[in-house]
Structures are given as structure tokens and as C-alpha cells.
Amino acid sequence: MNRLLITLLLCSLSLMIQAQGQQELTLEEVVGGKFYPRNIAQIQAIPGDGDHYTQMNAEGTQVVKYSFKTGQQVEVLFDVTTARECPFKHFDSYQFAPDGSKLLIATKTNYIYRRSYRAEHYIYSLKRNLDGKILNVVEKLSDGGPQQAPVFSPDGYMVAFVRDNNIFLVKLLYGNSESQVTEDGERNKILNGIPDWVYEEEFSMNSALEFSADSKMLAYIRWDESEVPMFSFPLYAGMAPHNSAFESYPGAYTYKYPKTGEANSKVSVHTFDIKSKVTRQVQVPLDADGYIPRIFFTRNPNQLAVVTLNRHQNQLNLYLADPRTTLCKQVLRDESDTYISENALNQIRFYDDHFSFVSERSGYSHLYWCSMSGTQQKQLTSGNYEVIDFLGYSESDGSFYYTSNEESPLCKAIYKIDKKGKKMKLSSQRGTNSAIFSSSMAYYVNRYQNLTTPTVITLNDNSGRQLTTLLDNAELKETISRYAMPQKEFFHFTTSEGVELNGWMMKPCGLEANKRYPVLMYQYSGPGSQQVLDQFSVSWETYMASQGYIVVCVDGRGTGGRGADFTKCTYLKLGYLEARDQVETALWLGQQSYVDKSRIGIWGWSFGGYMTLMSMSEGRPVFKAGVAVAAVTDWRYYDTVYGERFMRTPQENGENYRLTSTFDRAEKLHGSLLLVHGLADDNVHFQNCAEYAEALVQLNKPFEMQLYTNRDHGIYGGKTRLHLYTRLTNFFNRELKGTTH
């Protein structure tokens, strides 16, 4: 009886503690997504309709129309259960025709790489009958097989897409008749209208197919990757998913991947006259090894904008080409002593007489307004802060809308400014804000979060006035309140080299005075990246803090948000200064009264994995243990666009390639190391891990390795993520706490 009574009392006490916010986090809950904020997927402003937006419901069965003024549902534009002749029960995504008259609906989506995918697409007309009802017939775009990169013509009567590296054109007014525009497309050789691997990954694109404003011309980029070296990795039968074709013998995936110093694809721009069926090559001034990362048709059907970069990526040119004569006129040049940031490519927008662009020519990323002739350029924003995204221009009142970190490098806010420089902050909450504007720029959907607030989505007018709240994640807040949840706190410190760095820290709940705790440092550290931001997350790091670790993240030199000098000081020696800053972080932490400096670990993924290796072998033995997931180990193994943007080629910068290689400093590796990699990583190849492991073997240095069959750079699928984080947890518990569970 006494034993039973004690058990009941302990259970009651446990329930009371949990009710008071002391429920313990579990790894399964954190990795399984229990604490992920709810979101609203696929919000799209309706083209030409300044008062309404749409969203896809969570089940992928409806496209619903809402009012920007009230947030209330207006009508269901598409429903798989009521649409006539609809052959699918759910869909993955949708897009509007530019005139808002039709939907293009994607089903059975299969991703190829990070951004590219093939899907079966269907046309759904939003035209109405005399009773005002939508003529709800679903029509298949093509019977020839799944499509890539479909794009509507501006008049809504045609769709161009890519299949098997060739461009096809469907005319909706002629019974969805399909014709083939190009015929030379071939895997691992010629791509028309879709980018090769390195353009997709490093220039953030999945399509290069554009209609002219009058719907009479089609323009596209053609990639000839014949001379790009091949790369292969093995594929196994595996599980989640299982591939029965490889049950007896493994297969292989082979594709073109240009590594630093190797040949890139040869690129060219072409136009196709839809009526005459004449194809022309645009006479773009381009170095033999130059890049064409963007094309856009302007509002003038006789002007095709072509953006070029030289191979060093420190000179951006913008040309306006006549799609019929193929002649080009240069209207913009932006140059840098180091490199042009990739984000600049996403800020170019064309209006009737002007276009926007973002440049770091002043030392910070700022917004510029340029005449179509290129003769007039006006800097719209200025100061020691960065414009992160240009959100749009209101032609009705001459206002420009953008996101910037003027408040702090740790925050993002929404602003508008007029041509005279009168500026207004629209977002009211300090933290991280992002916006989707209506086509009229009169309203916007704002997504807000900060360290302690999960995503809040509101509707606002263009003066910043909040109209209604669409989502507040109140349920998640209530769930979190039941847990003993470590909280991030920002801190700043100055290194011994006089560099001030920003960081966040999570301490275990109920931190005991006079006790020294083990530290786990997390970082990414890649050029222009930021991990230290005022935004919400409950992650594996949160779980580790709940298990008795001080968890710390510091953005060192080379990271973003603090101007070009801070970001680009790592140019030509990528990884060297960044590793010094992580070591300096560990040294500073070791001076704090609550830290056991003999038990500091570090980990990271991708560039963060590379930085783990560089920091553990920097020469100052401050790390007791580290985990490098999907790590680059030598920039000679990585792709041309990314590697050469920051390092130039190995032929030009060989000494610094050696200096920033993990192999060059492997002999100085200090601490227990776990290497983790996916065997089907198309981005950071397993070659990086394999060769580095061999170097450690030959140096007789012990290490551990965890490999994942058929997993790419994200290392997910089935229970893979749970296994990965369990492995990491057990490793650090053993190495930093001396426990085996």
C-alpha cells in the first residue's frame, strides 16, 4: 500500500508540474513537427484584381477566393468535387493566367532537384455563363506526358511548357492543339527553356521561358551542356520509398555537374515567332564563359530584357533586345570589386517607362529606379541598412514598397517610400516581417514572427493599418505553454580581433547558479546567410537546451545583414575568417561563469558542416566534439557558380583553395568527430565526405561516420530525420556529458 501511495503521489506531482508548464520536450515531438507553426499555403494575389486573393486549402482540393478588405471567403473558384470531368482528387499547386481568366493546376508532382519538377497540368477556365457561374470544365494540358515549367501567354490563350528538354506550345482556342517549338533537346546535352543543374541551384531558377506582352513571341534560354563533365552516384532499392528495380543490382544517377574551374554550359537566347514559326538567336554580348541568369519580356512587346554576368560574377549587364531584329542595347551595368550578390537578380521589375534594381554600390544593398533608356538612375533608399526585397511599385501614387533591416540586422520590416524620399514603416511589430501585395498595391498579407511569437498572418492596407488577423497560431502558443521550453536570447560580443558579432543563446530551464554547463554551438556561416534573426523556431537545438546544454549560434564574418564590407571580407578565402570567428566564440563562451570550457561542441549542415571541420582544425583546440552534416570539404569539389563567385577558379586562386581546404588542416583536427552524409546528395557530393574520411584514415585520426542510403542534401524520408537527430543526440551526450542515452 505504501508503495502504491507513493506512486500515486508521484504521478499527481508529475501532472501538476506538467500543468504548470513543466512538461518535458521529447525528440520525437520536436522532429515530428508538433511545434511547427501553422501556415496558409499558396496565397496568391489575383492578377488584375486589386481587391482579392486566393489560397489553396490544406487538403489540396480547393482554390478559394478571399477579400483583401475583410479576409472573408468570397467564393470557391475551384473544387475537385464539383468541377466537371475532373480526373484527380487533389492537387499540388496552381497558377493564374496573367489576365486572371484561367487556372493552371498541377497534380502528380515529382521533384527533380531543389526547384524543378514535372507534373500533370490541367486548365480550368474561370469565365462565367449568363447566370454568373464559372464554366467548370477541367481540361488536360497535354496527353504527351508530364510537363515542366509551364507558362501562360499574357492573353491567356496559350501555354508553353517543356518536356524532355524541348519546348511545346498549346493553343487553347484551337482545341488545345499542341505543337513542338524546339527539337534538339536531349538529356545531358541540350536544354531548352529550363536551366541546367548549376543555374537552378545557384541562380534560383526553374524556368527560362517567356511570352511577349502581345502574346506573339516566345523567348527562351538554351543550355548546351555537352562539354560539362558528368557526375554519377549510386542508387539502391532502399525503403521509404522502395525502388524494386535495384533490388539485385544497384543503379546510378548520372548528370552534368560543373565543378570549380571546369567547363560550364554554353548559353544563348532565342526567340520564336508564333505566327511565322521563325526561330532567331539574340545577339547578346557575352563572354564565351559568361552567364545569362535571367530573361524578361518588358511591357513593350519589342523589348526583351536579358541579364548577363561574367564568369567572375562581378559585372552585371542588362540589355534590351528586339526579339525580331535580335539587336541588343545595354541599359545597365553594375560592377563590384568582389561579386554581385545573387539576390540582385530577383529585384529587377519592369514598368511602363522604368525598371527597378537593387545594388550594393553604396556599400549597402539599396533600391534604384532607372529609365528604360538607362540614362537616368535614381537611388531611392540610402543608409547603413539593407533593402532585402523589392515588393512592388504603385503606379497610382508613385510609392515603392520594400523589405529592409533598417531597425536592426536582426529584424525585417515593411516600408514604403515615394520618389521624394518620404518614407513610412508599415509593419507595426518588431521582428521578422514579409509581405504579399495585391496587384493594385492597395493591400498586403503580412507574415510576422519573433523569438517568442510563432507566425501571425494579418491583412493590412498600404498605410500599414491592420484590417484583420487570418492566423495567430494561438493553439501552438497554448501547447508551448505546457512545456518547459528554453527561450532564445540575443547577445553580442567583440572578438580578440576587434570584430563585434551577433548571436543567440538558449539556456536550460532552471539554470543552476555556480554550475558549469556543456555548450553546443550551431552555425551555418555561409556568405550572406543569417541564422541570428528575430524569428521563431522550436528545433533540435531547443530540445538539446532542454537536456542541459547551453546552445549558442553566432553569425561570423561573411554572413549577411551588415553591409557589403562585413559580408564580402571573406572574398577569395572562403572559410578562413569564418572559422576564426567560431573559435573566438568558443573562447568567449569559455570565459562565462556558467560554461564548462572543456565541454564545447559544434555542429552544422552543408556550409555549416564545412565550418565545423574548419573550426575543429583551426589550430586552437577549443572543441571537444563536432558533427559535420553534408559538408563541403574542398571547394574544388563544389560547383562553378557558387565556388567561383566567392573564390574565383582554382587556376587563378590556387593558394587560397589550399588554405581553405579541410584537407590542408586535417592534421590539426582536435576533438571527436562524426561525419554524416546522404549517398544520393546531388548538391554536396558524398565524394567530399569519402575523400576527407580517407585523409583522416591516413593520418590515423579516429572519427565516426553515419551514411544514409538514397538520401539527398536534405537527408529526409520515412524515419530518416528522427534517426539522424537521435544519432546526433547520442553522440553529443556521450562526448560532452559522458552519458550513453
Side-chain angles (χ1 to χ4, degrees):
M1 283 294 294
N2 288 338
R3 189 174 299 171
L4 177 61
L5 182 62
I6 292 171
T7 301
L8 290 173
L9 287 172
L10 288 174
C11 288
S12 299
L13 181 61
S14 176
L15 289 172
M16 288 176 60
I17 291 172
Q18 290 181 16
Q20 296 170 6
Q22 294 301 312
Q23 190 171 335
E24 288 190 8
L25 289 171
T26 70
L27 184 60
E28 289 79 5
E29 288 174 327
V30 172
V31 176
K34 181 172 183 175
F35 304 104
Y36 293 170
R38 287 178 55 226
N39 205 345
I40 299 177
Q42 295 271 349
I43 290 181
Q44 297 188 36
I46 300 178
D49 180 346
D51 295 325
H52 299 95
Y53 67 93
T54 61
Q55 68 183 68
M56 185 174 81
N57 68 350
E59 296 75 25
T61 60
Q62 292 181 334
V63 176
V64 186
K65 181 178 179 180
Y66 294 88
S67 166
F68 263 116
K69 295 178 182 178
T70 66
Q72 296 299 307
Q73 179 177 324
V74 174
E75 64 177 319
V76 176
L77 291 183
F78 174 75
D79 189 323
V80 297
T81 63
T82 59
R84 287 161 41 204
E85 301 177 33
C86 183
F88 50 87
K89 294 183 179 180
H90 63 85
F91 59 97
D92 305 316
S93 61
Y94 69 98
Q95 61 176 289
F96 278 95
D99 64 352
S101 66
K102 298 176 183 68
L103 291 175
L104 187 63
I105 299 167
T107 68
K108 298 181 181 178
T109 301
N110 288 304
Y111 275 86
I112 305 167
Y113 300 120
R114 189 189 297 266
R115 297 173 179 87
S116 57
Y117 61 89
R118 298 183 187 93
E120 293 184 5
H121 292 86
Y122 293 83
I123 302 290
Y124 185 74
S125 175
L126 298 174
K127 290 184 178 180
R128 301 173 185 271
N129 61 20
L130 295 177
D131 297 327
K133 294 182 179 179
I134 293 173
L135 302 171
N136 57 348
V137 178
V138 176
E139 299 178 274
K140 197 170 187 178
L141 176 62
S142 171
D143 291 319
Q147 309 89 39
Q148 275 185 258
V151 58
F152 270 111
S153 60
D155 62 12
Y157 293 135
M158 289 177 286
V159 177
F161 66 84
V162 175
R163 181 191 294 120
D164 298 329
N165 291 7
N166 279 315
I167 298 169
F168 293 79
L169 184 65
V170 174
K171 296 182 178 179
L172 306 180
L173 287 179
Y174 294 88
N176 293 4
S177 63
E178 182 176 315
S179 59
Q180 189 165 340
V181 175
T182 66
E183 297 184 349
D184 60 344
E186 184 179 340
R187 175 168 165 72
N188 286 332
K189 188 174 181 181
I190 302 295
L191 303 95
N192 292 293
I194 52 172
D196 66 2
W197 185 93
V198 74
Y199 270 73
E200 174 180 338
E201 177 66 24
E202 307 301 0
F203 290 134
S204 303
M205 60 192 300
N206 69 357
S207 174
L209 194 55
E210 293 273 323
F211 278 97
S212 61
D214 60 5
S215 302
K216 294 180 179 179
M217 301 287 288
L218 194 61
Y220 60 94
I221 302 176
R222 177 182 184 271
W223 281 263
D224 181 349
E225 58 180 1
S226 304
E227 297 179 12
V228 178
M230 302 278 263
F231 191 88
S232 296
F233 52 79
L235 295 173
Y236 302 91
M239 299 175 66
H242 175 72
N243 192 327
S244 58
F246 304 139
E247 283 180 350
S248 296
Y249 293 90
Y253 184 80
T254 302
Y255 67 120
K256 298 290 187 134
Y257 184 104
K259 300 199 174 190
T260 50
E262 299 288 348
N264 272 316
S265 292
K266 294 182 172 64
V267 288
S268 53
V269 177
H270 302 260
T271 61
F272 176 73
D273 189 311
I274 295 169
K275 184 176 181 180
S276 69
K277 296 182 172 55
V278 173
T279 300
R280 303 175 176 91
Q281 181 172 336
V282 179
Q283 299 175 49
V284 182
L286 184 71
D287 298 338
D289 57 357
Y291 298 107
I292 303 177
R294 295 288 188 278
I295 57 171
F296 316 88
F297 260 112
T298 71
R299 294 184 178 182
N300 181 339
N302 297 316
Q303 289 181 333
L304 172 66
V306 181
V307 180
T308 71
L309 284 168
N310 60 337
R311 183 149 179 171
H312 285 163
Q313 299 173 67
N314 62 357
Q315 184 182 102
L316 180 150
N317 292 310
L318 175 61
Y319 299 96
L320 293 181
D322 186 306
R324 289 182 173 85
T325 68
T326 73
L327 297 177
C328 292
K329 176 188 175 184
Q330 183 176 327
V331 294
L332 174 70
R333 171 171 289 182
D334 199 19
E335 295 183 280
S336 170
D337 292 337
T338 53
Y339 56 88
I340 303 291
S341 297
E342 183 227 339
N343 186 47
L345 300 172
N346 301 322
Q347 314 307 325
I348 301 171
R349 311 277 176 79
F350 291 93
Y351 298 88
D352 285 342
D353 302 313
H354 291 81
F355 65 90
S356 65
F357 69 99
V358 165
S359 172
E360 294 177 300
R361 58 181 60 171
S362 69
Y364 288 83
S365 178
H366 281 294
L367 180 61
Y368 292 78
W369 192 235
C370 187
S371 66
M372 294 300 286
S373 66
T375 56
Q376 297 178 357
Q377 296 181 12
K378 179 179 177 61
Q379 183 173 341
L380 297 171
T381 61
S382 61
N384 294 342
Y385 63 90
E386 295 192 341
V387 170
I388 299 162
D389 283 306
F390 174 53
L391 300 172
Y393 169 64
S394 172
E395 295 174 276
S396 62
D397 66 4
S399 295
F400 301 84
Y401 297 84
Y402 62 94
T403 307
S404 90
N405 64 2
E406 184 171 353
E407 291 178 296
S408 162
L410 312 184
C411 299
K412 296 179 183 179
I414 313 301
Y415 292 84
K416 74 173 179 180
I417 193 169
D418 64 20
K419 293 175 183 176
K420 295 182 180 180
K422 183 181 178 182
K423 181 168 55 179
M424 179 181 182
K425 180 180 172 230
L426 302 184
S427 50
S428 59
Q429 300 289 338
R430 184 182 175 94
T432 299
N433 293 271
S434 62
I436 299 171
F437 273 83
S438 65
S439 58
S440 64
M441 305 302 293
Y443 306 97
Y444 68 96
V445 178
N446 190 80
R447 281 185 169 89
Y448 160 73
Q449 58 179 305
N450 66 17
L451 286 187
T452 58
T453 307
T455 304
V456 176
I457 303 178
T458 60
L459 283 178
N460 308 266
D461 65 22
N462 64 5
S463 67
R465 182 169 62 99
Q466 183 175 313
L467 304 176
T468 189
T469 299
L470 301 179
L471 177 68
D472 62 8
N473 272 297
E475 291 181 10
L476 177 57
K477 292 178 187 176
E478 196 278 328
T479 297
I480 288 173
S481 70
R482 300 196 298 267
Y483 284 80
M485 189 74 70
Q487 297 295 326
K488 289 180 182 176
E489 300 174 357
F490 291 124
F491 71 96
H492 317 274
F493 77 100
T494 301
T495 71
S496 66
E497 297 175 331
V499 182
E500 183 176 317
L501 300 178
N502 299 323
W504 56 252
M505 180 183 297
M506 280 190 286
K507 298 174 182 176
C509 297
L511 192 77
E512 298 179 32
N514 303 318
K515 180 178 178 180
R516 293 182 179 270
Y517 290 82
V519 171
L520 177 60
M521 286 172 50
Y522 164 72
Q523 44 68 51
Y524 178 72
S525 304
S529 68
Q530 284 185 268
Q531 302 302 308
V532 183
L533 286 168
D534 197 359
Q535 59 188 17
F536 177 86
S537 72
V538 176
S539 62
W540 178 68
E541 288 77 24
T542 313
Y543 170 76
M544 293 300 279
S546 77
Q547 298 300 300
Y549 290 87
I550 304 285
V551 182
V552 173
C553 178
V554 166
D555 280 343
R557 282 173 287 185
T559 57
R562 298 177 60 179
D565 287 347
F566 187 84
T567 298
K568 297 181 177 182
C569 67
T570 62
Y571 186 58
L572 299 182
K573 51 183 183 299
L574 194 63
Y576 181 78
L577 296 177
E578 299 94 318
R580 293 187 66 82
D581 287 347
Q582 294 304 313
V583 171
E584 289 281 335
T585 300
L587 290 170
W588 179 83
L589 287 167
Q591 298 170 5
Q592 310 311 305
S593 61
Y594 46 83
V595 167
D596 183 344
K597 67 179 181 180
S598 68
R599 294 188 293 158
I600 299 178
I602 184 171
W603 94 281
W605 199 308
S606 194
F607 197 102
Y610 163 67
M611 193 47 47
T612 294
L613 300 177
M614 291 290 287
S615 302
M616 291 179 71
S617 50
E618 188 258 3
R620 289 175 282 181
V622 295
F623 297 108
K624 190 173 189 294
V627 176
V629 181
V632 174
T633 57
D634 191 304
W635 292 113
R636 290 178 178 86
Y637 295 149
Y638 205 55
D639 72 63
T640 49
V641 175
Y642 188 94
E644 294 174 13
R645 181 184 297 157
F646 309 114
M647 291 286 289
R648 297 200 172 182
T649 66
Q651 294 89 333
E652 298 171 283
N653 191 27
E655 179 58 25
N656 280 336
Y657 268 81
R658 182 195 62 77
L659 179 70
T660 59
S661 171
T662 62
F663 296 91
D664 189 62
R665 54 176 64 184
E667 193 168 1
K668 294 185 289 186
L669 177 70
H670 176 84
S672 301
L673 174 65
L674 171 61
L675 299 173
V676 180
H677 222 102
L679 294 179
D681 193 333
D682 62 285
N683 185 349
V684 180
H685 300 142
F686 174 61
Q687 175 189 20
N688 286 268
C689 181
E691 297 290 2
Y692 183 71
E694 170 65 7
L696 295 182
V697 168
Q698 297 310 319
L699 289 168
N700 198 30
K701 284 189 170 287
F703 65 95
E704 297 176 40
M705 186 183 291
Q706 177 67 57
L707 305 180
Y708 288 99
T709 304
N710 292 354
R711 304 306 171 192
D712 64 14
H713 197 56
I715 312 183
Y716 61 91
K719 295 184 178 180
T720 305
R721 277 291 177 93
L722 178 59
H723 185 279
L724 168 63
Y725 282 115
T726 301
R727 181 80 162 93
L728 268 58
T729 301
N730 292 340
F731 175 80
F732 280 119
N733 282 346
R734 186 188 73 215
E735 297 299 329
L736 300 183
K737 295 172 72 175
T739 60
T740 56
H741 300 288

